[in-house]
Amino acid sequence: DIAAAFLLAILGGALLIGPWAFKLRRDLAEERIARVRSQERADVAAHLHDSVLQTLALLQKNAKDPTLVASVARSQERELRAWLLGLDEDAERSLAAALRDVAGTVEDTYRVPVELVIVGDRDMTEHIAALVSAGREAIVNAAKHSQAAKIDVYAEIQAARVDLYVRDRGQGFDPQDIASDRRGIEESIITRMTRHGGSAEITSAPGEGTEIHLSLDLE
């Protein structure tokens, strides 16, 4: 009888306290969610004010300069996309971040759109940093000399291998006719990749654009 009475008391207490406890827990959860959302809205508002709204004001002031407008707009697009996706933009630690940094710098400097596609990522090493430097030279050369409307860059990053392609539909050139005083391709791309265990393949012809394929085995 005592055990039954004790059990009934517990059940009665649960029936009385249970709904209140459930409601309290639900209210706390809703309050926590509301607080998080409020903080997120504040962060978004601050970011929009610091970047997007200022960029829009800059575009309005320079509306008569379409090249500058396009360059600033693409720069803001890169920055906003990276922020929304939570991308790691530490160029000294991440290969993907380093490539995005290179593409952004070339766009801002030469005002030529760089369409960048990256599959995968890896931490930076000495050899990967060499590949990034060679890729930067290839992209800069395309921006300076190809006269192409845009530059396409594709990076496929695997566990044991990295392939980087830099393509343009510009005026092209004959790789056999490179002047001896132009050491950018030979020293900064081909020799650099070879020195770090990689390779560089250049495909180009006058009027047919250029493709540079950089490959690095990581094993």
Side-chain angles (χ1 to χ4, degrees):
D1 293 340
I2 294 176
F6 183 71
L7 181 59
L8 289 174
I10 293 178
L11 292 176
L15 290 175
L16 292 174
I17 300 176
W20 174 81
F22 178 77
K23 183 177 183 301
L24 178 62
R25 182 179 179 182
R26 185 181 61 186
D27 292 343
L28 290 175
E30 291 177 352
E31 180 183 354
R32 182 167 58 251
I33 293 174
R35 185 168 59 251
V36 171
R37 288 177 176 174
S38 177
Q39 182 64 40
E40 289 177 347
R41 285 195 296 267
D43 292 341
V44 171
H47 186 83
L48 291 176
H49 176 270
D50 294 341
S51 60
V52 178
L53 294 180
Q54 293 184 4
T55 300
L56 291 176
L58 180 63
L59 295 179
Q60 290 178 354
K61 292 181 179 180
N62 296 275
K64 296 182 179 180
D65 187 344
T67 304
L68 177 60
V69 168
S71 176
V72 172
R74 289 185 60 84
S75 177
Q76 182 58 65
E77 178 191 1
R78 290 194 310 270
E79 191 272 338
L80 183 60
R81 189 185 303 277
W83 182 75
L84 289 174
L85 297 179
L87 299 175
D88 179 12
E89 291 304 305
D90 188 350
E92 296 182 357
R93 297 182 56 186
S94 166
L95 171 55
L99 292 175
R100 285 192 289 268
D101 181 70
V102 169
T105 300
V106 172
E107 280 195 352
D108 295 340
T109 303
Y110 299 98
R111 298 186 180 182
V112 178
V114 178
E115 298 293 343
L116 178 63
V117 177
I118 303 175
V119 178
D121 197 3
R122 283 188 64 95
D123 293 336
M124 292 292 288
T125 66
E126 176 186 358
H127 301 304
I128 291 178
L131 179 138
V132 172
S133 297
R136 178 188 293 109
E137 183 68 21
I139 298 172
V140 168
N141 283 344
K144 291 173 61 177
H145 304 296
S146 71
Q147 299 181 9
K150 68 171 183 173
I151 303 168
D152 295 303
V153 180
Y154 172 71
E156 184 174 354
I157 307 169
Q158 305 178 57
R161 180 185 176 92
V162 178
D163 289 285
L164 179 65
Y165 298 86
V166 179
R167 303 186 182 103
D168 69 71
R169 298 178 180 272
Q171 59 183 358
F173 64 97
D174 186 348
Q176 303 299 324
D177 292 339
I178 300 176
S180 59
D181 60 342
R182 287 190 56 187
R183 306 178 64 85
I185 293 179
E186 181 64 32
E187 294 293 335
S188 298
I189 298 179
I190 299 176
T191 303
R192 172 180 279 148
M193 291 299 301
T194 303
R195 189 166 60 247
H196 288 271
S199 63
E201 180 181 354
I202 301 175
T203 303
S204 183
E208 298 184 6
T210 302
E211 175 179 295
I212 297 180
H213 175 204
L214 307 180
S215 177
L216 180 65
D217 289 324
L218 301 177
E219 293 184 344

